[in-house]
Amino acid sequence: MTGAAAIRTGIGWDSHRLVSGPPTRALILGGVTIPYEQGLHGHSDADVLTHAVIDALLGAAGLDDIGALFPDTDAAYKDADSIALLRDVVGRVAAEGYAIVNVDTTVVMERPKLSPHRAEIRATLAAALGLGDRDVNVKASTGEGLGFVGRGEGVAALAVATLSAAA
Ligand code: MG
């Protein structure tokens, strides 16, 4: 553990490109596969929301970032299950002496609608984080037609994590 603060926060941001294939890619958000005609491009499973959560946790713990831990040049992380990477990071955060208090997130996406999948995403992330569903929030926003999100070219996600020094 570094620093004296009992409470620490971290932010995470990620974006991935939406692609139609071939090859066909899945749209996976927070560990949940969402039926859609496009998927997210990336070296891993491109779970943009889980990547943002991972960076928020690493940021709060002062542990570098997702690219340093799981490089996209490493074949070991090709098509990697990002929830498995999140579980790895939860272990690293605990090993530093921190407990996760809560995680808040926003997915910025024009289509498809996130709301039918929100409860399952919260439950999936909460299980990986070792938290209750109420401690993991998943909000949805759109680009209002503006920028790469608004043009439907990609999906962005933001996350904030709060840690406390474990008793
Ligand atoms: Mg990413």
Side-chain angles (χ1 to χ4, degrees), residues 17-122:
R17 182 181 298 273
L18 276 167
V19 293
S20 299
T24 304
R25 297 279 305 186
L27 175 58
I28 300 173
L29 295 173
V32 174
T33 300
I34 294 172
Y36 191 53
E37 68 256 28
Q38 292 184 298
L40 290 173
H41 177 75
H43 182 67
S44 68
D45 65 3
D47 183 342
V48 62
L49 174 56
T50 300
H51 293 180
V53 170
I54 285 172
D55 258 356
L57 291 171
L58 292 173
L63 289 175
D64 230 322
D65 65 23
I66 188 171
L69 261 58
F70 311 113
D72 64 8
T73 51
D74 188 335
Y77 304 116
K78 176 104 175 73
D79 299 323
D81 173 1
S82 294
I83 291 292
L85 303 183
L86 175 58
R87 286 201 201 92
D88 179 304
V89 166
V90 168
R92 292 171 190 249
V93 167
E96 290 292 310
Y98 296 116
I100 303 168
V101 176
N102 76 297
V103 171
D104 185 26
T105 69
T106 300
V107 177
V108 193
M109 179 171 74
E110 213 71 359
R111 280 176 302 277
K113 284 263 182 250
L114 191 72
S115 50
H117 311 285
R118 193 197 307 251
E120 187 180 0
I121 292 170
R122 283 180 80 163

